[in-house]
Amino acid sequence: MERGPVCITTAGDPEAVAAAQARLGREGAARAAEELLGGLARALVAAGARRLLVAGGETSGAVIRALGIARLTVAPYVSPGIGLCAAEAPEPLALCLKSGKLGPVDMFGTVLERMRA
């Protein structure tokens, strides 16, 4: 049974972000968010997810490390800063690694449809 897309974010209101940064430091809060997203990516792949769209350069790196991916086959860029790739792994895994603030506002739906193929 195919399931629909799932979106997970570490975004929070300014007060919550400020509280996390006050408690953990700016770098510590960022590292905690990246570790959380990396762990969630591992759990999703273990549960059968085969397509991941990851937004954010540091987050993309954290997810790749958490999944233990050593090699990627890169496809042509969808648009500046938005690349599709496949992990060289025993199970097929398609990834879109989107850097920072690049890409159009509606890119998530477009990329997910493209990844379906």
Side-chain angles (χ1 to χ4, degrees):
M1 178 172 101
E2 185 172 329
R3 296 182 179 105
V6 174
C7 178
I8 301 168
T9 180
T10 57
D13 61 58
E15 294 81 20
V17 172
Q21 290 177 341
R23 192 173 72 252
L24 303 170
R26 187 175 178 166
E27 293 297 318
R31 192 169 33 261
E34 291 164 6
E35 288 174 7
L36 172 70
L37 292 172
L40 287 170
R42 257 194 326 272
L44 286 168
V45 170
R50 294 294 170 254
R51 294 185 306 253
L52 298 177
L53 189 159
V54 183
E58 286 83 7
T59 303
S60 293
V63 166
I64 294 297
R65 283 189 301 278
L67 294 174
I69 296 171
R71 295 183 65 140
L72 295 168
T73 300
V74 180
Y77 276 81
V78 174
S79 65
I82 302 170
L84 297 178
C85 53
E88 293 187 15
E91 293 287 330
L93 181 61
L95 296 137
C96 175
L97 305 174
K98 178 195 171 304
S99 62
K101 294 176 174 64
L102 297 176
V105 174
D106 63 348
M107 62 89 38
F108 292 105
T110 302
V111 169
L112 288 171
E113 269 308 306
R114 189 166 177 183
M115 290 175 77
R116 193 180 289 271

